[in-house]
C-alpha cells in the first residue's frame, strides 16, 4: 500500500521535473536571443520582451478587475448574505469556474471586441479585452479562496468588534480583512498564476501583435499565445525559441507559486 | 512468468519499430507541408505506405530529391530551368489563391498590387489615402510560419509588425467581417463562407483569369517517377486526393469541370 502511494507521488513529481527539464533543454540554444525586443521569425529575431509586457499587462489588468470583485463577493457570502442566498450564489460562482476557456474567448470575441472597437476606438482586439475575459475567469478562484479565509476567522473577532460598537463596514475594514490578509493574498496569487497561464481565451481577443502595448486599447501578445499560435510549423531556431518561451513562462509560474506558499503561511 | 512478460514486451517493441519504418520521405515547402500531411494521412488510410512529411523550404525540398534523401519534394514555386535540367519534374497538385478581403461596407472595390504592398508594410495607414472613407486601416494577418502568410509575403511584400495576428483563415474572416476598417487575406474556402468583400487586385477578381495572388503548389520527383513516389503522386491527383486538397482550402487542379 505504502509502495503504491509512493509510486503515485514519485510519478507526479517526476512528471513536473521531466517537463521542466525537457522544455529547458529544448529551448536552451534560443535563450540568449530571448532578451531582444523584436519577435520576427522571418528575420531570425526571437526576442520575447514584448510578450513579457503583454502577459504582464493582461494579467495585471485582470487582477485590477477581479480582486475587488472577488473579495467583495467573498465578503458578501460570509458577512451579508443569508445562508439561503449564499447557498444560491455559491453554485453559480462554481459554475463560472467550470466554463471552458474557449467559451470565454468566444464570447469575448463576439461581444467584447466589437463593443470595445465601437465604444472606445482602436481595433477592439486589445489588452482591455484580454483583461476583462481573464478577470471574469479568475473571479471564482479569488472569491472561493477569499471566502474560505474569511470563514476560517474565529467568531470572536466579529463578536468583539460588535461589542465595541463597530459598524459592519468598520468591522470588515479594520478587523476581518487585516486578519484574513494571508488567505486573501493567497487568493490573489492563485488568480495571478491562473491568469498568466491562460492561453486560448486570451489568444482569441488580444490581437497577438508582438509589440509592447502602450495603452489598454492596444493589441498585445502573451507568452502563452505566442507558443500556441506558432508551434504548428515552427522548426529549427524558431521551435527552440518557442520552447524557451515556455521555459520562461514555467519559471514565472513557479515564482508565483513560491510566492503564494510564502504569503500563505 | 516474468520472463514471458519481458519477452512479450521485447517482441511488441520490435514490432512497433518495424511499423514505424517509413515508405516515403517528403520534404520541402512549408506552405505545402500542412496539406501534404493531410494527404499523407489519407494515403495511409487508403492503403498506401507511410509518408513522412518534413518542411525546410522549397529549395531544400528540391535538394533533398536531387541527393536522394527524399523521394518527393514539395515546392510552392516553379522549378528553375537549372533544376529541371538536372532531371527533375514538377507536378502541380493544387493552386493556393489568396483573396484580399475587407468589410462589406467598405466602399473600395480594388487595389493595385503596389497599393496593397504599401498598406501591408505599414506605409499607408489611412483608408482616405486609398480613396476610401477616412479612418485608420486595421491590418489583419496570419502568424509567422503559416503557408498563407508566406505566400502573401512572396506575392505582395512584407507584413507590418503592427498587424493584428489571427491563427487561421477562419479567425481572420471573423476579425474582418466585424470591423469596417479591417483588411486581411484569406484562402478561397474562407471567402466562400460569405460576409466578406474580396477586393480586385490589379483589376482582377480572385480565382478569375489573370488574378495575381496565386501560387502553384507542386510535388517534385525524378523525371520519371517510380515506385512509392509515383504511387503517392497518383494518389494526390486522384479524385480522393483532390478532395482532400479542396477541403484544405486550396483549389484542386482536377475536377473543376464539375463546378462549371
Amino acid at each position: 500500500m505504502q509502495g503504491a502511494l509512493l509510486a503515485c507521488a514519485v510519478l507526479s513529481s517526476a512528471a513536473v521535473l521531466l517537463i521542466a527539464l525537457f522544455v529547458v533543454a529544448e529551448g536552451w540554444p534560443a535563450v540568449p536571443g530571448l532578451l531582444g525586443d523584436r519577435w520576427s521569425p522571418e528575420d531570425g529575431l526571437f526576442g520575447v520582451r514584448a510578450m513579457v509586457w503583454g502577459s504582464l499587462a493582461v494579467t495585471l489588468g485582470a487582477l485590477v478587475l477581479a480582486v475587488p470583485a472577488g473579495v467583495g463577493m467573498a465578503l458578501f457570502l460570509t458577512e451579508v448574505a443569508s445562508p439561503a442566498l449564499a447557498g444560491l450564489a455559491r453554485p453559480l460562482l462554481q459554475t463560472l469556474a467550470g466554463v471552458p476557456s474557449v467559451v470565454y474567448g468566444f464570447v469575448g470575441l463576439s461581444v467584447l471586441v466589437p463593443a470595445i472597437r465601437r465604444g472606445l476606438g482602436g481595433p477592439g482586439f486589445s489588452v482591455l479585452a484580454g483583461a476583462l475575459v481573464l478577470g471574469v475567469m479568475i473571479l471564482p478562484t479569488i472569491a472561493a479562496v477569499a471566502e474560505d479565509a474569511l470563514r476560517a476567522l474565529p467568531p470572536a473577532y466579529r463578536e468583539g468588534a460588535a461589542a465595541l460598537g463597530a459598524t459592519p463596514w468598520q468591522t470588515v475594514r479594520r478587523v476581518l480583512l487585516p486578519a484574513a490578509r494571508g488567505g486573501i493574498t493567497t487568493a490573489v496569487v492563485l488568480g495571478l498564476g491562473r491568469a498568466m497561464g491562460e492561453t486560448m481565451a486570451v489568444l482569441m481577443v488580444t490581437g497577438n501583435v508582438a509589440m509592447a502595448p502602450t495603452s489598454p486599447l492596444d493589441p498585445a501578445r502573451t507568452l502563452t499565445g505566442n507558443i500556441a499560435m506558432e508551434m504548428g510549423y515552427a522548426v529549427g531556431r524558431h521551435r527552440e525559441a518557442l520552447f524557451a518561451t515556455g521555459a520562461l513562462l514555467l519559471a514565472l509560474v513557479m515564482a508565483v507559486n513560491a510566492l503564494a506558499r510564502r504569503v500563505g503561511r | 512468468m516474468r520472463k514471458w512478460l519481458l519477452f512479450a514486451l521485447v517482441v511488441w517493441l520490435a514490432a512497433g519499430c518495424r511499423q514505424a519504418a517509413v515508405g516515403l520521405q517528403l520534404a520541402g515547402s512549408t506552405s505545402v507541408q500542412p496539406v501534404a500531411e493531410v494527404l499523407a494521412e489519407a494515403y495511409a488510410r487508403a492503403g498506401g505506405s507511410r509518408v513522412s512529411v518534413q518542411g525546410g523550404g522549397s529549395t531544400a525540398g528540391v535538394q533533398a530529391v536531387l541527393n536522394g534523401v527524399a523521394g518527393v519534394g514539395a515546392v510552392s514555386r516553379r522549378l528553375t530551368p537549372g533544376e529541371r535540367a538536372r532531371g527533375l519534374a514538377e507536378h502541380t497538385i493544387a493552386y493556393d489563391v489568396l483573396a484580399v478581403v475587407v468589410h462589406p461596407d467598405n466602399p473600395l472595390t480594388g487595389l493595385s498590387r503596389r497599393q496593397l504592398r504599401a498598406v501591408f508594410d505599414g506605409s499607408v495607414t489611412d483608408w482616405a489615402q486609398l480613396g476610401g472613407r477616412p479612418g485608420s486601416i486595421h491590418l489583419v494577418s496570419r502568424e509567422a510560419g503559416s503557408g498563407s502568410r508566406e505566400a502573401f509575403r512572396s506575392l505582395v511584400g512584407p507584413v507590418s509588425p503592427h498587424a493584428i495576428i489571427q491563427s487561421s483563415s477562419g479567425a481572420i474572416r471573423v476579425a474582418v467581417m466585424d470591423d469596417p476598417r479591417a483588411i486581411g487575406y484569406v484562402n478561397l474556402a474562407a471567402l466562400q463562407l460569405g460576409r466578406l468583400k474580396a477586393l480586385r487586385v490589379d483589376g482582377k477578381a480572385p480565382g478569375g483569369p489573370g488574378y495575381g495572388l496565386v501560387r502553384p503548389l507542386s510535388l517534385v520527383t525524378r523525371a520519371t517517377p517510380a515506385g512509392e513516389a509515383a504511387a503517392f503522386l497518383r494518389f494526390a491527383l486522384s479524385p480522393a486526393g483532390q478532395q482532400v486538397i479542396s477541403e484544405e482550402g486550396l483549389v484542386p487542379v482536377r475536377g473543376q469541370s464539375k463546378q462549371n
Side-chain angles (χ1 to χ4, degrees), chain A residues 172-193:
Chain A
V172 164
R173 214 165 64 101
R174 298 285 175 81
V175 181
L176 300 181
L177 285 183
R181 202 181 52 212
I184 289 173
T185 315
T186 307
V188 172
V189 178
L190 284 176
L192 175 84

Side-chain angles (χ1 to χ4, degrees), chain B residues 142 166-175 177 186-187 190 193:
Chain B
R142 289 291 302 278
Q166 297 290 331
S167 54
S168 68
S169 269
I172 291 198
R173 172 174 173 265
V174 172
M177 75 188 194
V186 297
N187 58 29
L193 293 173

Side-chain angles (χ1 to χ4, degrees), chain A residues 42 117 125 207-209 211 233, chain B residues 149 161-163 165-166 178:
Chain A
E42 285 133 355
R117 177 164 53 230
F125 292 95
N208 308 309
V209 174
M211 298 192 114
Y233 348 68
Chain B
R149 182 183 171 110
H162 290 280
I165 304 294
Q166 297 290 331
D178 267 352

Side-chain angles (χ1 to χ4, degrees), chain A residues 38-39 41-43 109-110 114 117-118 122-123 125 203-204 206-211 219 221 229-230 233 235 238, chain B residues 30 33-34 55-56 138 142-147 149-150 153 161-167 171 174-175 178-180:
Chain A
R38 268 202 71 200
W39 177 271
E42 285 133 355
D43 307 310
L109 179 65
S110 333
R117 177 164 53 230
R118 274 193 286 273
F125 292 95
L203 177 78
M204 290 167 81
T206 56
N208 308 309
V209 174
M211 298 192 114
R221 184 184 296 198
M229 231 176 0
E230 297 189 357
Y233 348 68
V235 288
H238 188 187
Chain B
T30 48
Q33 203 180 345
H138 297 159
R142 289 291 302 278
E143 76 282 12
S146 114
R149 182 183 171 110
E150 203 201 304
R153 278 163 45 89
H162 290 280
I164 297 281
I165 304 294
Q166 297 290 331
S167 54
V174 172
D178 267 352
D179 183 357

Side-chain angles (χ1 to χ4, degrees), chain A residues 90-189:
Chain A
R90 209 171 290 114
L92 285 176
L93 203 62
Q94 282 158 358
T95 309
L96 202 61
V99 177
S101 68
V102 67
V103 175
Y104 282 106
F106 191 52
V107 172
L109 179 65
S110 333
V111 180
L112 278 180
V113 171
I116 291 172
R117 177 164 53 230
R118 274 193 286 273
L120 302 169
F125 292 95
S126 55
V127 171
L128 179 62
L132 281 166
V133 167
L134 272 183
V136 176
M137 285 183 72
I138 63 174
L139 181 65
T141 310
I142 295 183
V145 179
E147 191 197 349
D148 287 344
L150 287 168
R151 283 211 189 280
L153 296 178
Y157 286 18
R158 295 183 183 84
E159 289 156 8
L164 289 170
T167 63
W169 173 237
Q170 282 169 332
T171 309
V172 164
R173 214 165 64 101
R174 298 285 175 81
V175 181
L176 300 181
L177 285 183
R181 202 181 52 212
I184 289 173
T185 315
T186 307
V188 172
V189 178

Side-chain angles (χ1 to χ4, degrees), chain B residues 167-201:
Chain B
S167 54
S168 68
S169 269
I172 291 198
R173 172 174 173 265
V174 172
V176 174
M177 75 188 194
D178 267 352
D179 183 357
R181 288 180 181 180
I183 183 168
Y185 54 89
V186 297
N187 58 29
L188 278 188
L191 177 64
Q192 280 152 5
L193 293 173
R195 291 181 64 183
L196 290 176
K197 177 163 144 187
L199 293 182
R200 289 171 171 269
V201 177

Side-chain angles (χ1 to χ4, degrees), chain B residues 7-221:
Chain B
F7 178 71
L9 188 72
V10 168
V11 168
W12 179 65
L13 283 176
C17 287
R18 249 228 328 270
Q19 254 179 9
V22 162
L24 181 65
Q25 297 278 353
L26 188 153
S29 165
T30 48
S31 320
V32 187
Q33 203 180 345
V35 68
E37 276 164 7
V38 183
L39 269 177
E41 277 169 35
Y43 182 59
R45 269 202 308 276
S49 61
R50 228 190 91 158
V51 182
S52 146
V53 178
Q54 264 152 35
S58 297
T59 307
V62 169
Q63 214 57 45
V65 176
L66 277 176
N67 55 34
V69 174
V72 177
V75 292
S76 46
R77 57 170 172 81
R78 295 258 171 239
L79 285 185
T80 64
E83 286 166 346
R84 221 169 271 137
R86 296 179 69 180
L88 296 181
E90 67 188 305
H91 317 270
T92 300
I93 57 166
Y95 292 101
D96 191 4
V97 179
L98 287 183
V100 177
V101 291
V102 294
H103 193 274
D105 292 347
N106 193 315
L108 233 60
T109 57
L111 290 172
S112 71
R113 217 190 290 197
R114 180 193 256 162
Q115 282 174 314
L116 198 55
R117 186 184 160 94
V119 166
F120 271 87
D121 73 14
S123 46
V124 165
T125 57
D126 199 291
W127 285 106
Q129 289 169 275
L130 303 166
R133 235 180 267 134
S136 59
I137 299 176
H138 297 159
L139 297 176
V140 189
S141 173
R142 289 291 302 278
E143 76 282 12
S146 114
S148 294
R149 182 183 171 110
E150 203 201 304
F152 189 84
R153 278 163 45 89
S154 71
L155 293 166
V156 178
V159 175
S160 157
H162 290 280
I164 297 281
I165 304 294
Q166 297 290 331
S167 54
S168 68
S169 269
I172 291 198
R173 172 174 173 265
V174 172
V176 174
M177 75 188 194
D178 267 352
D179 183 357
R181 288 180 181 180
I183 183 168
Y185 54 89
V186 297
N187 58 29
L188 278 188
L191 177 64
Q192 280 152 5
L193 293 173
R195 291 181 64 183
L196 290 176
K197 177 163 144 187
L199 293 182
R200 289 171 171 269
V201 177
D202 290 333
K204 303 290 199 310
Y211 184 69
L213 306 190
V214 180
R215 291 192 311 173
L217 303 181
S218 312
L219 298 181
V220 174
T221 58

